[in-house]
Amino acid sequence: MKPTIYDIAKAAGVSTATVSKVLNNSGRISEKTKIKIREIMEDLRYQPNVLASAMKGKGTFQIALLIPDVENPVYAQYLKHIENRGQEQGFSVVMCCTDDNPDKEARHISLMRNKQVDGFIIASQFKNEELLKELLEDKVPIVLFAHEKQDILVDSVTVDDCFGGVIATEHLISLGHKRIGIVAEDTVSSHERIRGYKFALQKAELPYDEKFIQIGGTKMEDAEHAAGKLFSSANRATAIFGTNDLMAFGVMRAARKHQIAVPQELSIIGFDNTPMCSIVSPELTSVAMPVSDLGKKAMDLIIHKIEGNDDIKQRILLLPHLVVRDSTSAI
Amino acid sequence: MKPTIYDIAKAAGVSTATVSKVLNNSGRISEKTKIKIREIMEDLRYQPNVLASAMKGKGTFQIALLIPDVENPVYAQYLKHIENRGQEQGFSVVMCCTDDNPDKEARHISLMRNKQVDGFIIASQFKNEELLKELLEDKVPIVLFAHEKQDILVDSVTVDDCFGGVIATEHLISLGHKRIGIVAEDTVSSHERIRGYKFALQKAELPYDEKFIQIGGTKMEDAEHAAGKLFSSANRATAIFGTNDLMAFGVMRAARKHQIAVPQELSIIGFDNTPMCSIVSPELTSVAMPVSDLGKKAMDLIIHKIEGNDDIKQRILLLPHLVVRDSTSAI
DNA sequence: ATGAAAGCGCTAACAC
DNA sequence: GTGTTAGCGCTTTCAT
């Protein structure tokens, strides 16, 4: 059997209270007994049972991470860096894949509460606002990751999508492009990125033209199709901003089919800087989120809340940066 | 405060034992009280505390999954399907990224044991055989995933890499290729795949030639470089088998640099069938593991062990299949 | 500086 | 059918 504090106490000829105190180094214990107890713990290979201590209110040191789909490299990155920081801080992360399905979200949340995780990092859309509010009311530590709820008082760590749209567009503009198309999926983030695009155009005093904007499905095929439309119009765009890498890959594929040379005849830029960017040819220029910092911030913030600092709510917004590769060039 | 069985018991005018019994529907309880108690639970939104029940030996319904790096799409897939099956069976998965670092492996294992996870699915190399044996001795439920230890008595769920090598090679042979190169990383799986390659050659009575085999680093650049060597030799290979997709991408890139047309002048086949296969151009033919089944089997097996069936050890070997795309063609 | 004891929320053996 | 009760392994007042 695994030894318990009782075994240690008995072996050391002290009470369990004393053992517990050296374990948490709380209370006042003489150096001597402290050392002795530590030795005995080593000898017996004592490992405290986190469950028991959790039951006394110390927490499980686990947080639940809700994401739609790990297979999506963007989310895999989130997970990686969140887990990584958790590891450093002694917190484990329990994976909850939601498939963007509100029922699954609800089930996971409920299950995780029963399992007494200390908090939640939510990186899925989380349509169920009722549930979210309920959690917030129950003072469950929550951090929204990579998308905020504009209308709810909740902590969040996100990337500044609008700014990302700005730098992507400015990069293209600086290369001399004036007719810049967009291929986007219909999500909040995408719309923010498009907002940045408009902003940059305006700043450069370039006209904004609806016909350059294609908003559609989330799959590469959707993007491919959308790009096709963009190509067929007269006076077509010389550059296209895909609001995520997958969109951009769809555009690349369409260009190939239409025999349009990238980047000579068409510049393409993506968003997310997934590992695939350097695998395709030409390598894809993309806007990179500071995923590692995002993950770190999110974990730190949730721990902060777990430790009882339910002070002020905060929205942390990190800035993305540009990674120039071979898919963009001067006109 | 969250209600406990006590609250339920009091509200129903029964003892906690009765409540516990309807919770686990064990023992004999009259339909009437059963219904009544259930109602009260609903009303009070009672949620059992898993920790408390775990302390009584019922388990935490958590399993720890050790993988080297989630960012690698292959591992992300494993995670996805394992989590998925866990969800169906009421088990959560705790993520442990090891970076293939034995220290991290050991730390995770120790931490997870303190947190009382019910079992481990290990999908990282796990160099630390001492530790593994120790766990096995302690009767900790363990399933090795995607790589076995030939010399240790432990359950495992893996794909038949050798067979994968066979079908990849046979595909190439059936297309008329006779000089087939290999670009591989130096891992157990890769060597198995190469073994399959040799086997297929032999079966087709084709000569095996050392000079076609390049074994090197795990990065795409390594593969690119290795492919370069393969190209420079006289009477060069007409097809190359990359023992995983990344290797194959490296080969594709080298081909592009050397102006060798794929698949017209060179057929390329990968292994793992990662999502990237359909993003690159030409789309990559690859050997696909039945990841979903693998994940399911692994989860089912670990649950089986957790439930106390420490009967016989088993090695489950699933067969991969070929996914033909555009990177391979007749000579 | 150390210990006794109560109890976290639940389960299960045993009693009635 | 239902209740009593003794813990699971730990923490934490409150005594001493």
Side-chain angles (χ1 to χ4, degrees), chain A residues 61 92 115 253 256 278 281, chain B residues 61 92 115 253 256 278:
Chain A
F61 293 88
S92 318
K115 292 193 179 173
R253 181 186 283 233
R256 207 174 292 125
S278 35
S281 166
Chain B
F61 294 89
S92 318
K115 292 195 179 173
R253 182 185 282 234
R256 208 174 290 125
S278 36

Side-chain angles (χ1 to χ4, degrees), chain B residues 295-313:
Chain B
K296 189 166 169 305
K297 288 273 188 216
M299 190 42 102
D300 289 349
L301 184 51
I302 196 82
I303 292 175
H304 183 74
K305 313 237 70 151
I306 288 167
E307 283 169 350
N309 309 294
D310 200 10
D311 32 22
I312 33 150
K313 302 284 181 189

Side-chain angles (χ1 to χ4, degrees), chain A residues 10 21 27 125 146 157 170 172 175 177 200 218 267 289 313:
Chain A
K10 198 184 297 172
K21 277 169 197 150
Q125 291 293 125
V157 175
E170 286 189 339
L172 263 11
L175 255 22
H177 295 278
T218 64
S267 283
M289 312 202 237
K313 302 283 181 189

Side-chain angles (χ1 to χ4, degrees), chain A residues 1-276:
Chain A
M1 250 341 258
K2 279 188 67 174
T4 72
I5 23 171
Y6 270 90
D7 302 315
I8 308 296
K10 198 184 297 172
V14 298
S15 79
T16 60
T18 309
V19 178
S20 174
K21 277 169 197 150
V22 343
L23 217 45
N24 303 283
N25 45 67
S26 59
R28 275 186 302 284
I29 310 286
S30 72
E31 249 345 274
K32 222 177 69 190
T33 44
K34 213 179 258 186
I35 292 177
K36 184 166 161 205
I37 291 180
R38 292 238 171 82
E39 258 172 17
I40 297 186
M41 285 178 173
E42 292 260 313
D43 286 358
L44 269 51
R45 297 156 163 277
Y46 170 74
Q47 299 287 135
N49 180 332
V50 177
L51 255 45
S53 102
M55 277 206 57
K56 295 296 293 183
K58 304 248 289 179
T60 53
F61 293 88
Q62 298 201 141
I63 69 104
L65 172 63
L66 273 71
I67 58 180
D69 177 15
V70 236
E71 220 176 341
N72 182 326
V74 180
Y75 292 115
Q77 282 189 326
Y78 295 169
L79 167 55
K80 174 180 176 148
H81 293 103
I82 287 171
E83 196 272 348
N84 202 44
R85 181 58 170 182
Q87 219 174 111
E88 289 171 20
Q89 306 287 331
F91 279 75
S92 318
V93 357
V94 184
M95 269 300 308
C96 304
C97 297
T98 65
D99 288 328
D100 269 328
N101 173 340
D103 288 347
K104 280 199 185 178
E105 284 172 356
R107 276 214 308 279
H108 269 129
I109 298 264
S110 162
L111 188 58
M112 286 302 119
R113 291 190 73 182
N114 299 345
K115 292 193 179 173
Q116 311 286 109
V117 299
D118 295 337
F120 291 87
I121 296 182
I122 300 182
S124 71
Q125 291 293 125
F126 214 76
K127 310 263 176 35
N128 197 333
E129 302 211 345
E130 286 317 306
L131 181 52
L132 183 57
K133 282 180 189 158
E134 200 182 309
L135 290 171
L136 257 12
E137 247 170 47
D138 288 1
K139 302 277 180 208
V140 178
I142 293 190
V143 168
L144 254 39
F145 191 80
H147 35 65
E148 13 182 4
K149 294 271 179 199
Q150 307 279 3
D151 53 337
I152 298 184
L153 186 68
V154 54
D155 295 82
S156 62
V157 175
T158 50
V159 75
D160 191 329
D161 284 303
C162 177
F163 180 76
V166 171
I167 58 178
T169 312
E170 286 189 339
H171 169 62
L172 263 11
I173 293 174
S174 77
L175 255 22
H177 295 278
K178 289 187 165 43
R179 296 191 308 284
I180 301 172
I182 289 248
V183 173
E185 50 176 10
D186 190 12
T187 62
V188 180
S189 298
S190 268
H191 285 288
E192 277 300 289
R193 292 167 193 181
I194 295 174
R195 198 159 66 82
Y197 158 87
K198 289 182 189 167
F199 192 83
L201 286 185
Q202 200 175 322
K203 192 169 145 203
E205 300 182 346
L206 252 26
Y208 167 72
D209 189 342
E210 276 286 345
K211 79 167 190 211
F212 286 135
I213 314 295
Q214 292 285 340
I215 298 175
T218 64
K219 289 195 295 194
M220 182 167 71
E221 287 73 29
D222 301 322
E224 190 174 345
H225 188 233
K229 284 196 220 160
L230 245 29
F231 294 156
S232 63
S233 81
N235 209 6
R236 71 162 194 245
T238 61
I240 293 182
F241 171 24
T243 55
N244 64 41
D245 286 343
L246 204 58
M247 297 290 111
F249 293 137
V251 177
M252 280 181 83
R253 181 186 283 233
R256 207 174 292 125
K257 197 183 290 174
H258 288 250
Q259 314 240 43
I260 299 173
V262 177
Q264 296 81 357
E265 300 173 71
L266 178 74
S267 283
I268 300 177
I269 186 168
F271 204 114
D272 287 344
N273 194 40
T274 47
M276 300 186 244

Side-chain angles (χ1 to χ4, degrees), chain B residues 12 22 45 52 102 235 269 273 322 329 331:
Chain B
V22 343
R45 297 157 163 277
N235 209 5
I269 187 168
N273 193 40
L322 193 68
S329 73
I331 202 164

